[in-house]
Amino acid sequence: VRAIVFDGRAATVQTRSDPQPGPDEALVRVRLAGICATDLEIVRGYTEHRGILGHEMVGEVQACASAPAWMGRRVAVEINAACGECDRCRRGHPTHCAHRTVMGIRARDGCFAEHVAVPVRSLHAVPDAVPDEAAVFTEPLAAALRVLEDIAPVPHGRVVVLGDGRLGLLVAMALHAHGCGVVARGRHAHKLERLHALGIATELAASPSEALGEADVVVECTGSAAGLDDALALVRPRGTIVLKSTFAARPVLDTNRIVVDEIRLVGSRCGPFADALADLASGRVDPRPLLEARYPLAEGDRALAHAGRRGALKIVLEP
Amino acid sequence: VRAIVFDGRAATVQTRSDPQPGPDEALVRVRLAGICATDLEIVRGYTEHRGILGHEMVGEVQACASAPAWMGRRVAVEINAACGECDRCRRGHPTHCAHRTVMGIRARDGCFAEHVAVPVRSLHAVPDAVPDEAAVFTEPLAAALRVLEDIAPVPHGRVVVLGDGRLGLLVAMALHAHGCGVVARGRHAHKLERLHALGIATELAASPSEALGEADVVVECTGSAAGLDDALALVRPRGTIVLKSTFAARPVLDTNRIVVDEIRLVGSRCGPFADALADLASGRVDPRPLLEARYPLAEGDRALAHAGRRGALKIVLEP
C-alpha cells in the first residue's frame, strides 16, 4: 500500500507491504482520513511512534473473515485497540487499557494509507445519512463529546471554550449543540465567525473576557501552556477546567488558586464513537464547515504542511 | 484582651482593646485554640493578613444581643464570614463569598485571644458529649470531611493519603472512619504508628508504594510541591487527586499525563462543621491522639515555635 510513514525524522509517502489482518481483524479501505494536531506532534518528535500515521478516518470493509456481515460496510474506526482482559478493561475503561495499541499513535499503523488492518471490535457502522466528509470527523467529534461526560450534567452557566483551532471549534459546536451556554474565545476572527454563524457567542482573545472569574466551565483547547493560566483566570470558584490539549511544555501551576477556590481540573481524551455518529446522523452537529482542503495521499507532504499552517482548519487525505 | 498578633514581621503576645461585637455578632470566650500550618504560613509572610491570628477554636458565648439563646453555650465557630447576598452565597457556596472575611486569615481578627467577636450565624453548638480537647478539632476535621464530598460516593478502591502532618493524619482518620480503604503514606514512623493503631494501613514514603499507578484517589496533604508529582505517580488512569495543602512554591505540572490518563485534580478547602461535630459526638472520629501539647496564651511564641518543629502534631493554646 501507499502510505505516509514517519521514520523518526520525517513523514514521507512510501510504498509498504500490504497489511495482513489478524484473525480478529478486518481490512478496511480508507475513503477519507483527517489530519490532527497529534499527527503534527508525532512528526515533530514528541512521541515514540514510528510507522504509518493517521487515526481519523472513514472507510469501507474489504475483508473480515471472522465477521463477514461487515463486508462492504462503511465504517468509522475506534483508535484504541484494548486487550479486553486487564483490570482497566474490566472496569469499563478500554481507552485506558494498559496494553492498548493506538492506531497511528502507539505501536499500530495508522490510516494515512490505502488500506489499514483494524480489530473487528473497533468498527462502527456509519449510517447512510452521514456523508464521508462528515464521517471523517467521527473520532474528533467523539473526543469533543467526551467533554460533555466530564462536565455532566449540562451546566446552567457559562462554558468558555479556549482556543479556535480544529479541536476548539469542534468542542464549541458540540457543547452548543447539546445545550451548553458556550462562549468560544480565540485569536482568529475568521474562524470565530464560523461559530457565530451557528449562533455561538464568541470573544477575541485580545479583548478582556466577560467571564473573568465567572465561567462555570472552561475547556482548554489552545494547545499551549499559557492556555492553562487563561483558564484559571476565567473559571469561577468551584468551577471546572477541562484540559483537552497536550503540548510539549510543562506549565507552572498556581495550585494555591486551585485549593483556595476549590477548582476541578479534568483531563479529557477519547470519547464515545456511537454518540458522535448519532449526532452526525441526526445533523445535530455538522462539522463540514471545518473542512478546509482535500489532498490525494500522494501529496501527503503538502497536506501535512498545510495542516501545520497557523490558522488552518481540517485537512483531509484521499487515499 | 491578651492576644497573639501578627504585625507583618513577627507574632507576639500583646494586650489589645476588647473586641466589640456588632449587631449580628456574638462575643465568645475562647476555651481552647489550635495552631494550624496556615498560621505558620501567615507568620512567614505568605499572605496579607495582619492582626490577631487563629481560626481553630472551641469557646463559650458570653454576649449575644441579637440571639440570647446562645448565651453560655459551648460553640465551634465557622471561619468564613460571608455576606449572604452575592452570587456565590446565593448559589450555596458561602465559603467562596467574594466579600468574605476569614477569622484569623483575612480581614478579621482570629481566636488566639481571650475573647473573639464572631457572626452569630457562624456559631455551631458543641454537643455535651464532645470534650474541649476534641471540639477544638472541629474546623480541621470539617476540612478533612470536605474530601469525602470531593470524592463522593465513597470509592471502592484504594485511597492514598500523602503526608503525615496534622492535616494528613486527620484526613486519613476521617476517610477511614467513613469506609474508605485508606493507605497513609508519610515520612515519620512514629506518626504513622498512631494511624496503624486505629487499623489504618500505612507506608513509609522512603519505600516503594504498592499503589503506584493504581490508587483510585490520592489526597495530597504534604504541604510541598513535590507531593503533586508523587500523587501523579500513584493515581490510576481516570483516578482523582485531591489537593488539600497550599504552599508557596509553584509546581511544574505534567499536564500531558493528566490529559492522556484523564485524571481529575480537585482543590479542597473548608468543610461541613455540622458533619464534623456529629462525628466527634458519636466518637466516629476521635482526634485527641493528635494533640501533642498545651500552652497558656501568654506563651504563644513558644507554642508557635513548637508547632513549627518538624514532626510536631497539634499544639493548642489555653487563653
PDB file of all heavy atoms in Angstrom, chain A residues 263-280:
ATOM      1  N   ILE A 263     -11.146  24.509  42.731  1.00  0.00           N
ATOM      2  CA  ILE A 263     -11.368  24.294  41.305  1.00  0.00           C
ATOM      3  C   ILE A 263     -11.117  22.832  40.961  1.00  0.00           C
ATOM      4  O   ILE A 263     -10.272  22.171  41.563  1.00  0.00           O
ATOM      5  CB  ILE A 263     -10.455  25.248  40.504  1.00  0.00           C
ATOM      6  CG1 ILE A 263     -10.963  26.674  40.702  1.00  0.00           C
ATOM      7  CG2 ILE A 263     -10.386  24.870  39.030  1.00  0.00           C
ATOM      8  CD1 ILE A 263      -9.980  27.727  40.321  1.00  0.00           C
ATOM      9  N   ARG A 264     -11.903  22.304  40.015  1.00  0.00           N
ATOM     10  CA  ARG A 264     -11.694  20.948  39.491  1.00  0.00           C
ATOM     11  C   ARG A 264     -10.992  21.043  38.144  1.00  0.00           C
ATOM     12  O   ARG A 264     -11.415  21.829  37.290  1.00  0.00           O
ATOM     13  CB  ARG A 264     -13.033  20.234  39.264  1.00  0.00           C
ATOM     14  CG  ARG A 264     -13.809  19.922  40.514  1.00  0.00           C
ATOM     15  CD  ARG A 264     -14.867  18.851  40.244  1.00  0.00           C
ATOM     16  NE  ARG A 264     -15.566  19.059  38.977  1.00  0.00           N
ATOM     17  CZ  ARG A 264     -16.025  18.084  38.211  1.00  0.00           C
ATOM     18  NH1 ARG A 264     -15.879  16.828  38.564  1.00  0.00           N
ATOM     19  NH2 ARG A 264     -16.652  18.348  37.076  1.00  0.00           N
ATOM     20  N   LEU A 265      -9.952  20.242  37.965  1.00  0.00           N
ATOM     21  CA  LEU A 265      -9.214  20.206  36.709  1.00  0.00           C
ATOM     22  C   LEU A 265      -9.373  18.784  36.193  1.00  0.00           C
ATOM     23  O   LEU A 265      -9.043  17.836  36.911  1.00  0.00           O
ATOM     24  CB  LEU A 265      -7.755  20.515  37.030  1.00  0.00           C
ATOM     25  CG  LEU A 265      -6.783  20.897  35.943  1.00  0.00           C
ATOM     26  CD1 LEU A 265      -7.145  22.249  35.374  1.00  0.00           C
ATOM     27  CD2 LEU A 265      -5.370  20.980  36.536  1.00  0.00           C
ATOM     28  N   VAL A 266      -9.883  18.624  34.983  1.00  0.00           N
ATOM     29  CA  VAL A 266     -10.195  17.290  34.489  1.00  0.00           C
ATOM     30  C   VAL A 266      -9.491  17.050  33.164  1.00  0.00           C
ATOM     31  O   VAL A 266      -9.701  17.801  32.203  1.00  0.00           O
ATOM     32  CB  VAL A 266     -11.714  17.126  34.279  1.00  0.00           C
ATOM     33  CG1 VAL A 266     -12.039  15.694  33.874  1.00  0.00           C
ATOM     34  CG2 VAL A 266     -12.485  17.532  35.513  1.00  0.00           C
ATOM     35  N   GLY A 267      -8.649  16.040  33.097  1.00  0.00           N
ATOM     36  CA  GLY A 267      -8.041  15.647  31.827  1.00  0.00           C
ATOM     37  C   GLY A 267      -9.053  14.900  30.982  1.00  0.00           C
ATOM     38  O   GLY A 267      -9.834  14.103  31.492  1.00  0.00           O
ATOM     39  N   SER A 268      -9.031  15.142  29.677  1.00  0.00           N
ATOM     40  CA  SER A 268     -10.075  14.612  28.794  1.00  0.00           C
ATOM     41  C   SER A 268      -9.455  14.190  27.466  1.00  0.00           C
ATOM     42  O   SER A 268      -8.763  14.971  26.829  1.00  0.00           O
ATOM     43  CB  SER A 268     -11.121  15.713  28.573  1.00  0.00           C
ATOM     44  OG  SER A 268     -12.100  15.311  27.651  1.00  0.00           O
ATOM     45  N   ARG A 269      -9.717  12.953  27.061  1.00  0.00           N
ATOM     46  CA  ARG A 269      -9.074  12.469  25.840  1.00  0.00           C
ATOM     47  C   ARG A 269     -10.111  11.913  24.873  1.00  0.00           C
ATOM     48  O   ARG A 269     -10.831  12.656  24.246  1.00  0.00           O
ATOM     49  CB  ARG A 269      -8.006  11.420  26.204  1.00  0.00           C
ATOM     50  CG  ARG A 269      -7.212  10.942  25.015  1.00  0.00           C
ATOM     51  CD  ARG A 269      -5.950  10.145  25.414  1.00  0.00           C
ATOM     52  NE  ARG A 269      -6.161   9.183  26.468  1.00  0.00           N
ATOM     53  CZ  ARG A 269      -6.350   7.862  26.286  1.00  0.00           C
ATOM     54  NH1 ARG A 269      -6.376   7.359  25.077  1.00  0.00           N
ATOM     55  NH2 ARG A 269      -6.504   7.045  27.316  1.00  0.00           N
ATOM     56  N   CYS A 270     -10.211  10.599  24.751  1.00  0.00           N
ATOM     57  CA  CYS A 270     -11.056   9.990  23.724  1.00  0.00           C
ATOM     58  C   CYS A 270     -12.498   9.868  24.188  1.00  0.00           C
ATOM     59  O   CYS A 270     -12.772   9.735  25.375  1.00  0.00           O
ATOM     60  CB  CYS A 270     -10.528   8.612  23.371  1.00  0.00           C
ATOM     61  SG  CYS A 270      -8.896   8.660  22.607  1.00  0.00           S
ATOM     62  N   GLY A 271     -13.416   9.873  23.240  1.00  0.00           N
ATOM     63  CA  GLY A 271     -14.826   9.875  23.604  1.00  0.00           C
ATOM     64  C   GLY A 271     -15.646   8.816  22.890  1.00  0.00           C
ATOM     65  O   GLY A 271     -15.100   7.939  22.215  1.00  0.00           O
ATOM     66  N   PRO A 272     -16.972   8.909  23.063  1.00  0.00           N
ATOM     67  CA  PRO A 272     -17.908   7.874  22.590  1.00  0.00           C
ATOM     68  C   PRO A 272     -18.210   7.985  21.086  1.00  0.00           C
ATOM     69  O   PRO A 272     -18.875   8.912  20.644  1.00  0.00           O
ATOM     70  CB  PRO A 272     -19.167   8.161  23.417  1.00  0.00           C
ATOM     71  CG  PRO A 272     -19.100   9.635  23.705  1.00  0.00           C
ATOM     72  CD  PRO A 272     -17.644   9.980  23.818  1.00  0.00           C
ATOM     73  N   PHE A 273     -17.718   6.983  20.323  1.00  0.00           N
ATOM     74  CA  PHE A 273     -17.958   6.969  18.877  1.00  0.00           C
ATOM     75  C   PHE A 273     -19.448   6.876  18.541  1.00  0.00           C
ATOM     76  O   PHE A 273     -19.919   7.519  17.608  1.00  0.00           O
ATOM     77  CB  PHE A 273     -17.214   5.783  18.251  1.00  0.00           C
ATOM     78  CG  PHE A 273     -15.824   6.117  17.790  1.00  0.00           C
ATOM     79  CD1 PHE A 273     -14.903   6.678  18.656  1.00  0.00           C
ATOM     80  CD2 PHE A 273     -15.442   5.897  16.470  1.00  0.00           C
ATOM     81  CE1 PHE A 273     -13.614   6.996  18.241  1.00  0.00           C
ATOM     82  CE2 PHE A 273     -14.157   6.208  16.030  1.00  0.00           C
ATOM     83  CZ  PHE A 273     -13.249   6.755  16.912  1.00  0.00           C
ATOM     84  N   ALA A 274     -20.182   6.072  19.299  1.00  0.00           N
ATOM     85  CA  ALA A 274     -21.599   5.882  18.970  1.00  0.00           C
ATOM     86  C   ALA A 274     -22.354   7.203  19.088  1.00  0.00           C
ATOM     87  O   ALA A 274     -23.197   7.543  18.249  1.00  0.00           O
ATOM     88  CB  ALA A 274     -22.213   4.822  19.891  1.00  0.00           C
ATOM     89  N   ASP A 275     -22.046   7.973  20.127  1.00  0.00           N
ATOM     90  CA  ASP A 275     -22.705   9.270  20.296  1.00  0.00           C
ATOM     91  C   ASP A 275     -22.333  10.220  19.161  1.00  0.00           C
ATOM     92  O   ASP A 275     -23.186  10.991  18.679  1.00  0.00           O
ATOM     93  CB  ASP A 275     -22.296   9.907  21.633  1.00  0.00           C
ATOM     94  CG  ASP A 275     -22.808   9.118  22.829  1.00  0.00           C
ATOM     95  OD1 ASP A 275     -23.542   8.124  22.628  1.00  0.00           O
ATOM     96  OD2 ASP A 275     -22.482   9.493  23.973  1.00  0.00           O
ATOM     97  N   ALA A 276     -21.074  10.169  18.760  1.00  0.00           N
ATOM     98  CA  ALA A 276     -20.641  11.057  17.677  1.00  0.00           C
ATOM     99  C   ALA A 276     -21.382  10.716  16.386  1.00  0.00           C
ATOM    100  O   ALA A 276     -21.891  11.603  15.687  1.00  0.00           O
ATOM    101  CB  ALA A 276     -19.128  10.926  17.473  1.00  0.00           C
ATOM    102  N   LEU A 277     -21.486   9.425  16.081  1.00  0.00           N
ATOM    103  CA  LEU A 277     -22.177   9.017  14.851  1.00  0.00           C
ATOM    104  C   LEU A 277     -23.663   9.366  14.919  1.00  0.00           C
ATOM    105  O   LEU A 277     -24.265   9.763  13.911  1.00  0.00           O
ATOM    106  CB  LEU A 277     -21.970   7.520  14.608  1.00  0.00           C
ATOM    107  CG  LEU A 277     -20.559   7.190  14.086  1.00  0.00           C
ATOM    108  CD1 LEU A 277     -20.259   5.707  14.230  1.00  0.00           C
ATOM    109  CD2 LEU A 277     -20.414   7.632  12.620  1.00  0.00           C
ATOM    110  N   ALA A 278     -24.253   9.264  16.114  1.00  0.00           N
ATOM    111  CA  ALA A 278     -25.664   9.638  16.255  1.00  0.00           C
ATOM    112  C   ALA A 278     -25.855  11.128  15.987  1.00  0.00           C
ATOM    113  O   ALA A 278     -26.809  11.540  15.316  1.00  0.00           O
ATOM    114  CB  ALA A 278     -26.164   9.274  17.661  1.00  0.00           C
ATOM    115  N   ASP A 279     -24.938  11.953  16.499  1.00  0.00           N
ATOM    116  CA  ASP A 279     -25.040  13.398  16.259  1.00  0.00           C
ATOM    117  C   ASP A 279     -24.836  13.747  14.786  1.00  0.00           C
ATOM    118  O   ASP A 279     -25.459  14.677  14.268  1.00  0.00           O
ATOM    119  CB  ASP A 279     -24.005  14.157  17.101  1.00  0.00           C
ATOM    120  CG  ASP A 279     -24.483  14.388  18.527  1.00  0.00           C
ATOM    121  OD1 ASP A 279     -25.627  13.998  18.847  1.00  0.00           O
ATOM    122  OD2 ASP A 279     -23.714  14.968  19.318  1.00  0.00           O
ATOM    123  N   LEU A 280     -23.950  13.014  14.125  1.00  0.00           N
ATOM    124  CA  LEU A 280     -23.727  13.263  12.698  1.00  0.00           C
ATOM    125  C   LEU A 280     -24.941  12.829  11.887  1.00  0.00           C
ATOM    126  O   LEU A 280     -25.365  13.513  10.950  1.00  0.00           O
ATOM    127  CB  LEU A 280     -22.476  12.516  12.214  1.00  0.00           C
ATOM    128  CG  LEU A 280     -21.142  12.987  12.805  1.00  0.00           C
ATOM    129  CD1 LEU A 280     -20.008  12.056  12.363  1.00  0.00           C
ATOM    130  CD2 LEU A 280     -20.840  14.432  12.396  1.00  0.00           C
TER     131      LEU A 280
END
